[in-house]
Amino acid sequence: MPVTPTSRHAVPASRRVLAVMVMVPLLAAVALWAFAWPATRMAPRDLPVGVAGPAAAAAPLEQRLASREGAFEIHRYADEAAARTALENREVYGAVVATPQGPHLLTASAASPAVAQLLTQALTSRAPAGAQAVPVTDVVPAPAADARGTGFGASVLPLALAGVAAGALVSLSGLRGGRAATAVLGAATLVGLTGAALAHSWLGVLTGNWWAEAGVLALTVAAIAGGVAGLHALLGKAGIGLGVLLIVLLGNPFSGAAGAPQLLPEPAGLIGQWLPPGAGSSLLRSVAFFDGAAAAGPALVLSVWAVLGVTAMVFAGRRSAPGAPAASSLPAPSAPAPVDSAPAPAPRS
């Protein structure tokens, strides 16, 4: 039986079985670490909060927050109006205002319902015995349809999967250059429109400008899909695996969408904001609830991912010679003519 190139280089079945037995538990361990580690270590770490009011009255409140070492990054404001402006600009997650009647807590549950609840508990749990309940005002409330923020947090994974699927399909379908970029951007645009229709118009999870929200969703998917397709253009099929690792196994749990990046263990929160799922969720919060405040940073991150991905796709498409036929379209080499092994007849005398 002739040995073909395929059979000559085929991996033995025993090695394939061993690879499956090793790789699947390893992948499960990485996924469990990436999702469970941040979730079980959530706590405030340099969480920006404000303290407002006259210095003499605000000092005890500042000391109460500072007693939790490393938990809060305290910003001082002259009065309640300045603290409210800081909340609306996403400079802080909450602020404690010193008033003649006692402390008054300002929150922005739209930035993170989990943080708003945490600040309320932190302030009331350390209040002197017999003190009156601290009044709380939600300056920028979360939507009534998603008061706990669960719907917003759950939106990150579908966007990540849509972007990874778009990038992988474009890569594996053989699209190159401008056609690949067009397919990625077209798919991202349609996902953005569909996502806004579902999250804003139907579920009520988002409450900002409809078209701006659709644009953010589209940019997020374009950044993810472009990143995956760009990695494939540079690294081959291994690039898709690297994209899945970065986007799904790291970007999704490190995004901080369910709480806040400052609640995640370091450096998970920082890494998450450099990846499209985290940057996309931060940008979507700014556009949907804060009229675009603090949107520049995450918008830049998403744009860099999208531009670099599209550039890699276009560059890879131009590396092949124009008009050169694909390998699969080349005619198969014809089999050599059989050689007659019979002996030649002897010459006649």
Side-chain angles (χ1 to χ4, degrees):
M1 177 179 177
V3 178
T4 64
T6 302
S7 61
R8 187 188 306 136
H9 299 288
V11 179
S14 58
R15 292 188 180 180
R16 284 178 280 166
V17 171
L18 182 61
V20 172
M21 294 175 61
V22 172
M23 292 302 297
V24 171
L26 180 61
L27 182 62
V30 172
L32 183 62
W33 165 79
F35 281 83
W37 172 58
T40 57
R41 298 293 186 271
M42 292 187 69
R45 297 171 176 84
D46 293 326
L47 186 74
V49 297
V51 175
L61 300 176
E62 187 172 345
Q63 292 174 0
R64 187 186 305 178
L65 293 173
S67 63
R68 298 182 60 173
E69 186 176 356
F72 301 111
E73 178 186 282
I74 301 174
H75 298 245
R76 286 284 288 115
Y77 300 101
D79 51 27
E80 180 176 341
R84 284 175 175 267
T85 301
L87 281 166
E88 294 168 352
N89 291 337
R90 298 200 69 187
E91 296 175 8
V92 293
Y93 284 90
V96 187
V97 182
T99 70
Q101 294 77 28
H104 179 197
L105 177 61
L106 305 178
T107 62
S109 60
S112 173
V115 171
Q117 182 180 5
L118 182 149
L119 291 175
T120 302
Q121 294 175 347
L123 196 63
T124 57
S125 63
R126 295 177 179 271
Q132 295 181 349
V134 177
V136 180
T137 300
D138 200 347
V139 178
V140 188
D146 190 30
R148 297 183 179 180
T150 53
F152 186 94
S155 66
V156 176
L157 183 57
L159 289 177
L161 294 178
V164 169
L169 288 174
V170 166
S171 301
L172 298 179
S173 64
L175 294 175
R176 297 292 182 269
R179 291 182 177 179
T182 300
V184 164
L185 297 178
T189 300
L190 293 178
V191 171
L193 295 173
T194 304
L198 293 174
H200 184 118
S201 303
W202 180 38
L203 299 175
V205 173
L206 306 177
T207 58
N209 181 275
W210 195 96
W211 291 104
E213 293 165 353
V216 171
L217 295 173
L219 179 58
T220 302
V221 175
I224 296 173
V228 172
L231 288 172
H232 174 267
L234 297 175
L235 305 176
K237 291 184 179 180
I240 298 179
L242 179 59
V244 172
L245 174 65
L246 291 174
I247 300 301
V248 178
L249 292 185
L250 293 182
N252 183 56
F254 289 6
S255 67
Q262 293 85 356
L263 296 182
L264 299 176
E266 296 177 350
L270 180 61
I271 293 174
Q273 296 306 298
W274 292 343
L275 298 175
S281 62
S282 294
L283 181 59
L284 188 58
R285 280 194 192 278
S286 294
V287 170
F289 309 127
F290 295 89
D291 294 328
L300 177 61
V301 172
L302 293 176
S303 299
V304 168
W305 273 85
V307 169
L308 291 180
V310 170
T311 301
M313 285 186 286
V314 173
F315 176 76
R318 291 182 177 178
R319 282 187 303 180
S320 56
S328 59
S329 63
L330 295 176
S334 58
V339 179
D340 190 0
S341 59
R348 295 180 180 181
S349 56

